[in-house]
Amino acid sequence: MRRISVFGATGSIGANTFDLMMRAGGPAAFHTVALTGDRNIARLAEMARALRAEVAVTADETLLPALRAALAGSGIAAAAGKAGLAEAAARPADWVMSAIVGAAGLMPGLIALQHGATLALANKESLVCAGPLLLATAAQHKARILPVDSEHSAIFQCLAGEDSAAVERIILTASGGALRDWPLEKLAHATVDQALAHPNWEMGKRITIDSASMFNKALEVIETREFFGVAPEQIEVVIHPESLIHSMVGFRDGAIMAHLGAHDMRHSIGYALNWPARAALPVDRLDFSKLAQLTFRAPDLDRYPALRLCRAVMATHGVAGAVFNAAKEVALDHFIAGQIGFMDMSGVVEDTLSLVSSDLSLGKAAMTLEEVMAADHLARVRAHAAAGIRHSRRE
Ligand code: NAD
Ligand code: MG
């Protein structure tokens, strides 16, 4: 029986993964090794009982007694904190879902690869912060990384059986997020609730706001570069409001392969879960007789400065990705807390990249987790300061 772990089981990707596992037979179909969450103890315990996991882990150490109580009598072990996550990631598993949000997802993913597991990667931040380290670790341990981000799953499927040398360009589609039709001058005043009103689907809070600012797409551009080994100039972004084409690959003979389907993350999660086979999945089928139109437009870089910043990050490469991601996470925290405006987020990230460049060489690649986390930590300190300046200017 296949041994499976899900990191970030209580989140949006985690819930969809759990749904597919239960539909496939739950504990009769999989041996569940570890499930992890953060503060949602009741849900974590419920999932662990349903899948008869070996261990459930909460990232919050103060909640370990609550998790133990929720698992009482089940025989499922409880653990907590970074040490608990690391221990769970080191348990032998065949397939590991990496669906923690943010840079916190890097450590368990790296450990799973060191133990030879196939890593289904939803946590794009891992590749942005530490692409070369993650890929080298996978190669060293003959472990495989499968994309779960819908765009990257689409690209991966378009590339199946193709010669990578024949790839001319990769075209990432973007919904444009909640504020895509707002006038540019109003964007500075957008609230958290307005940024959370995603036009096409529901996801975790952080990625939903990142969709509105297109920081999510900026991360995905870097993710594409790392995952598929293409040059930055081969990656394009196009806004496609209907979100039915999940991404495209253009080949040197002029052909373009597009991946279409309903927008339901269970497609890309299910593809990674069943790869290299295709299993029946409970996703809606497209009815072309009812599809009115597919539309496209180029993103405006004044509206989405994140798309400009990610180009500078790719040109620098090295730890610039870790700095970019950490600064983005801090800026997002400050926006969610109401301290800085929507457009200040890209300002904070830009300030942080320039502040950190005087402390360390952004172009030097980090090849250990410690080096990545040191750059992440420094960027967080600088980003807090940059956000504080913008906050005080608003008052
Ligand atoms: P979410 O906020 O719904 O869930 C995040 C999960 O991570 C939860 O289980 C939470 O308990 C856990 N978590 C949060 N902080 C943690 C920490 N510090 N340490 C350990 N665990 C922690 O997020 P999501 O929308 O499911 O996204 C998860 C990842 O998948 C992100 O990297 C996101 O970019 C990516 N992704 C999500 C979607 C989507 O449709 N939701 C699509 C593509 C990619
Ligand atoms: Mg995506």
Side-chain angles (χ1 to χ4, degrees):
M1 203 181 263
R2 214 150 41 121
R3 297 163 301 177
I4 291 194
S5 288
V6 183
F7 285 81
T10 54
S12 165
I13 293 288
N16 282 311
T17 308
F18 177 76
D19 177 72
L20 290 178
M21 289 173 73
M22 291 306 287
R23 284 169 189 267
F30 306 104
H31 173 87
T32 302
V33 178
L35 297 181
T36 85
D38 194 15
R39 300 201 188 121
N40 196 342
I41 298 299
R43 179 74 182 130
L44 178 60
E46 184 192 339
M47 290 171 132
R49 283 176 185 272
L51 284 169
R52 295 189 209 130
E54 287 176 18
V55 62
V57 188
T58 166
D60 186 337
E61 283 173 8
T62 66
L63 294 175
L64 182 58
L67 181 60
R68 281 214 181 97
L71 291 171
S74 67
I76 300 168
K82 286 206 178 95
L85 284 172
E87 189 275 331
R91 290 189 181 221
D94 302 300
W95 190 92
V96 172
M97 168 55 78
S98 168
I100 287 174
V101 63
L106 174 60
M107 177 271 284
L110 212 48
I111 294 177
L113 288 174
Q114 284 162 354
H115 288 80
T118 291
L119 191 68
L121 192 70
N123 180 267
K124 65 194 86 185
E125 297 90 337
S126 293
L127 274 175
V128 173
C129 296
L133 170 61
L134 214 64
L135 298 176
T137 305
Q140 190 187 341
H141 298 276
K142 299 194 171 42
R144 186 173 277 282
I145 306 175
L146 295 173
V148 172
D149 215 349
S150 59
E151 295 78 358
H152 305 75
S153 176
I155 297 162
F156 188 69
Q157 294 178 52
C158 290
L159 285 172
E162 300 287 351
D163 175 3
S164 60
V167 174
E168 198 168 62
R169 57 191 182 133
I170 292 183
I171 305 149
L172 289 173
T173 51
S175 71
L179 310 174
R180 68 180 174 218
D181 298 319
W182 280 38
L184 180 58
E185 58 281 8
K186 273 186 69 186
L187 281 181
H189 306 289
T191 65
V192 172
D193 284 343
Q194 287 165 333
L196 277 173
H198 197 285
N200 296 354
W201 55 75
E202 273 194 35
M203 306 180 283
K205 183 172 182 176
R206 301 183 70 86
I207 186 175
T208 305
I209 299 175
D210 284 348
S211 292
S213 63
M214 280 232 202
F215 265 108
N216 180 51
K217 205 53 55 181
L219 296 178
E220 290 182 359
V221 169
I222 301 173
E223 182 186 11
T224 301
R225 188 258 184 102
E226 298 295 343
F227 202 100
F228 299 105
V230 289
E233 35 314 340
Q234 289 176 285
I235 308 168
E236 299 169 25
V237 173
V238 66
I239 294 182
H240 167 43
E242 296 83 9
S243 300
L244 294 174
I245 296 181
H246 301 142
S247 277
M248 298 178 261
V249 177
F251 294 91
R252 64 181 167 207
D253 60 356
I256 291 180
M257 305 281 265
H259 180 282
L260 285 82
H263 29 78
D264 184 330
M265 282 309 291
R266 291 178 303 177
H267 173 76
S268 35
I269 297 167
Y271 184 79
L273 184 60
N274 297 297
W275 183 88
R278 280 188 191 270
L281 292 174
V283 298
D284 288 344
R285 273 36 178 179
L286 290 188
D287 179 347
F288 281 88
S289 67
K290 292 194 181 126
L291 278 187
Q293 58 179 0
L294 298 177
T295 58
F296 306 91
R297 60 179 121 123
D300 170 357
L301 297 192
D302 290 332
R303 175 181 275 279
Y304 300 116
L307 289 181
R308 183 170 42 76
L309 290 172
C310 77
R311 298 282 165 189
V313 167
M314 288 190 292
T316 312
H317 213 180
V319 291
V323 171
F324 179 69
N325 178 68
K328 191 277 300 176
E329 290 190 26
V330 170
L332 180 58
D333 289 337
H334 282 263
F335 174 64
I336 290 173
Q339 289 162 347
I340 60 171
F342 182 76
M343 296 303 282
D344 283 327
M345 288 193 282
S346 52
V348 167
V349 173
E350 190 158 18
D351 294 349
T352 306
L353 281 164
S354 93
L355 284 168
V356 174
S357 67
S358 59
D359 302 308
L360 53 83
S361 166
L362 287 178
K364 187 171 175 293
M367 289 311 284
T368 65
L369 181 61
E370 292 68 33
E371 284 172 337
V372 177
M373 294 326 284
D376 173 283
H377 175 74
L378 183 62
R380 282 174 202 268
V381 173
R382 298 283 181 265
H384 274 298
I389 292 170
R390 283 173 187 265
H391 182 199
S392 58
R393 267 193 228 140
R394 275 161 63 94
E395 285 177 336

